[in-house]
Amino acid sequence: MAARLSMNQYKILLLENIHPTARQLLEEAGFTVDEEKGSLSEDELCRRVGQYQAVGIRSKTMITPKVLESHGAMFAIGAFCIGTNQIALEKANHFGLPVFNAPYSNTRSVAELIICELVALSRQLSERSLKAHEGIWLKSASGAREVRGKTLGIVGYGHIGSQVSVLAESLGMKVIFYDIVKKLPLGNARAMDSLEQLLQKSDFVTLHVPETPQTQGMMGARELKQMRKGTYLLNASRGTVVEIPDLVDALKSKHLAGAAIDVFPEEPANNDEMFRSPLQKLPNVILTPHVGGSTEEAQEAIGAEVADSLIRFLRLGSTSGAVNFPQLDVPPSKGARRLINVHRNVPGVLRDVNSIVTNYGANILAQYLSTDSNIGYLIMDMEKGEAERVADEVRKLPTAIKTRVLF
Ligand code: NAI
C-alpha cells in the first residue's frame, strides 16, 4: 500500500522531456524517478499512473477524469508548464490530488523580449534585416529613433509588466502604467488613472493583462485611435486582448508606426500547422510564434520550481501554490511524525479524527487545517509511535480521501 511506503520508496514518473533539473532535484530529495520522452495515451496513463506517488507532465499529456479514476497510489501531479487546461482539475481535487505548476518561471523571458522589440520597432529592424537578406541596402535615418527619453505605457503592472518597467527605465525610458488594482510603482514609474490617459501619453504601449471578460477586445478601434500618431503597440499577453482587424487598419492608415505581436486569437496547435494572420506582410510589424516565455532558462526554472513544489508537498505536506487545492505552508515537524489527511469537507470530520487521537492517547504537537468547498486538508504532527496506528483508523473514516504518514 502506498500509504505505508516510506518516503524513500516514493516513485515519480516524468513525461514529455521535462528539463533534467527536475529529475536531479527529485533524486537528490530521495525519490526514484522514471522518465518517458513523450506523452502517454489515455489507456497507457490509466495503466501506469497509479503505481507512482507523483506524475509530472507538460502540456501534451491529457490527465482526463478517466486517468484520474486510476490514481491509485498517486498523491500529486506536477504540471511542468504554465497552463493547467490539460488536467481535469476539479476531479483531481475530488481525489485529493494537488496540482502544482510554474506560473512565473518565464516572467523575465517575456520582459526581455519586450525590451528587445521596443528597440527593434524603433529602428525598423525586422524590415531592414529582411531587405538586407534580399540584397536591398536600406540605409536611412528617417523614422529610426532611440528609445531613450520616450514614454512606455504598460497596461497590467503585474509580474511581467513590473519587470518590463524596471528594464525600460534602465534604458532611459519614462514609464507610466495602468492597472485595475492599485500597485506600488517601481523606480520612477507613474500610475495613470485610466487606460485612455495612458494611451494618450505613450510612445509605446505594451499589454501585460490576463485574459478576462474585461480584457477581451480591450484594444479596439476606439483605443487604437486614442494612441498618438506614429506610436507602437506590443502584445505578448493573450491574443484576444487586441482586435486584429482594427490593428490592421491602424497600421495600414499609418496611424501606428509599428507593432510587435507574440500572441494571436487563433494559433497553430503545433509547428506543422500553417500560421495565417491579416498582420502578415505589413511593414514594421514583428510577428513571433508565442515565444515570449520560451527560453532555455525558463524551461530550467519551470523544472526547478515544480520539482521543488512536489518535494515540499511529498516531504512536508505544503500545498502553497497548488492550483486546485486548499493552501497550507507548514514548517518541518521537529522530531514528530506528520499525518496528512485529505477528507470530504463535511461537518464532524475534526471531531472524528480527534476522537481517534484521544482513543490512542496520542499527543498532538501541531495541527493545521485548510479547506475549500469540496475538501479539507489536515496536517497533524504527533509523537512518534502513535501516528501509523492513528493513520490506519483515520483512513477507515468514510470521509477520508487520502491519508499518509511522512517518515
Ligand atoms: P499577472 O497576473 O502577474 O499580472 C496581470 C496584471 O494585469 C495584474 O496586475 C492585474 O491587476 C492586471 N489587470 C487585470 N485586468 C486588467 C485590466 N482590465 N486593465 C488593466 N490591468 C489589468 O500576470 P503576468 O504573469 O504578468 O502575465 C500577464 C500576461 O502575460 C498573461 O496574459 C499571461 O497569459 C501572458 N503571458 C504570455 C507569455 C508569452 O509567452 N507570450 C508567457 C507568460 C505569460
Side-chain angles (χ1 to χ4, degrees):
M1 281 286 290
R4 278 289 195 184
L5 288 177
S6 85
M7 276 188 287
N8 292 339
Q9 294 171 291
Y10 280 8
K11 288 196 304 175
I12 298 179
L13 176 64
L14 298 182
L15 303 174
E16 298 188 62
N17 247 335
I18 287 167
H19 195 278
T21 307
R23 178 181 196 141
Q24 190 192 328
L25 290 173
L26 291 164
E27 286 181 342
E28 278 169 14
F31 306 132
T32 302
V33 177
D34 287 345
E35 267 190 278
E36 297 284 346
K37 290 251 173 285
S39 58
L40 298 179
S41 68
E42 188 176 55
D43 284 348
E44 285 172 303
L45 286 167
C46 289
R47 256 199 319 278
R48 293 188 60 184
V49 292
Q51 303 156 28
Y52 291 90
Q53 281 61 62
V55 173
I57 62 162
R58 290 173 66 192
S59 53
K60 291 203 177 69
T61 304
M62 306 304 289
I63 303 285
T64 60
K66 188 172 160 203
V67 171
L68 290 169
E69 297 281 352
S70 314
H71 61 95
M74 207 169 41
F75 292 126
I77 298 168
F80 286 79
C81 46
I82 312 296
T84 49
N85 296 345
Q86 72 283 34
I87 302 168
L89 291 177
E90 251 192 74
K91 196 76 173 175
N93 165 289
H94 172 85
F95 285 128
L97 301 169
V99 174
F100 298 95
N101 68 339
Y104 304 119
S105 296
N106 58 8
T107 297
R108 182 67 176 211
S109 303
V110 182
E112 280 195 15
L113 182 72
I114 294 297
I115 295 300
C116 152
E117 289 174 340
L118 291 172
V119 179
L121 286 172
S122 213
R123 302 293 289 273
Q124 302 160 346
L125 207 65
S126 63
E127 208 177 330
R128 286 173 202 251
S129 168
L130 208 66
K131 294 286 186 226
H133 278 281
E134 291 168 1
I136 299 165
W137 196 244
L138 213 63
K139 182 172 167 61
S140 149
S142 167
R145 295 192 190 88
E146 294 183 354
V147 297
R148 177 172 52 162
K150 307 295 183 305
T151 300
L152 172 63
I154 300 174
V155 184
Y157 204 65
H159 287 83
I160 298 172
S162 56
Q163 284 278 324
V164 171
S165 171
V166 172
L167 295 174
E169 279 199 344
S170 71
L171 286 177
M173 298 187 81
K174 295 176 196 145
V175 175
I176 57 177
F177 67 89
Y178 169 69
D179 200 297
I180 45 166
V181 174
K182 196 167 166 53
K183 296 278 172 148
L184 178 74
L186 299 179
N188 295 318
R190 282 177 303 126
M192 296 290 110
D193 295 330
S194 67
L195 178 62
E196 185 175 353
Q197 194 185 12
L198 176 134
L199 297 175
Q200 287 168 351
K201 285 181 185 259
S202 301
D203 298 302
F204 299 83
V205 173
T206 184
L207 309 173
H208 299 292
V209 290
E211 186 173 51
T212 66
Q214 292 79 41
T215 61
Q216 284 202 6
M218 150 185 234
M219 289 300 291
R222 191 169 66 105
E223 291 75 21
L224 292 165
K225 271 205 193 77
Q226 287 166 352
M227 288 176 67
R228 293 208 308 254
K229 188 170 164 54
T231 57
Y232 305 87
L233 179 72
L234 297 88
N235 185 22
S237 62
R238 298 297 287 264
T240 54
V241 175
V242 177
E243 295 289 359
I244 298 293
D246 296 336
L247 176 60
V248 170
D249 289 347
L251 288 162
K252 282 189 173 160
S253 69
K254 304 257 186 274
H255 180 63
L256 292 192
I261 307 292
D262 187 46
V263 288
F264 303 86
E266 277 144 33
E267 298 180 359
N270 54 55
N271 285 356
D272 298 328
E273 244 178 59
M274 197 68 189
F275 166 62
R276 289 180 216 286
S277 166
L279 291 164
Q280 282 163 334
K281 306 263 187 300
L282 291 178
N284 210 19
V285 174
I286 301 171
L287 302 181
T288 45
H290 202 147
V291 288
S294 305
T295 62
E296 292 183 9
E297 286 84 355
Q299 287 308 312
E300 186 175 350
I302 288 170
E305 189 176 333
V306 180
D308 184 59
S309 298
L310 287 175
I311 292 165
R312 287 180 344 101
F313 173 68
L314 293 172
R315 286 217 158 265
L316 292 179
S318 286
T319 53
S320 60
V323 295
N324 65 334
F325 218 74
Q327 307 280 307
L328 274 185
D329 198 4
V330 284
S333 58
K334 286 202 188 92
R337 279 279 156 90
R338 176 163 285 175
L339 185 152
I340 306 246
N341 165 255
V342 187
H343 53 262
R344 285 196 291 115
N345 186 10
V346 291
V349 177
L350 265 193
R351 182 200 56 215
D352 294 344
V353 171
N354 285 334
S355 87
I356 293 170
V357 171
T358 311
N359 288 346
Y360 280 103
N363 187 21
I364 297 179
L365 303 172
Q367 195 173 44
Y368 313 88
L369 175 70
S370 178
T371 59
D372 64 22
S373 54
N374 296 317
I375 60 172
Y377 183 53
L378 174 68
I379 295 181
M380 286 196 302
D381 290 347
M382 57 186 84
E383 278 173 6
K384 286 181 184 158
E386 302 302 341
E388 276 82 41
R389 287 198 295 156
V390 171
D392 284 342
E393 291 304 312
V394 169
R395 206 171 280 125
K396 288 183 201 152
L397 291 173
T399 48
I401 299 174
K402 290 255 176 204
T403 304
R404 66 188 173 112
V405 178
L406 307 187
F407 65 99

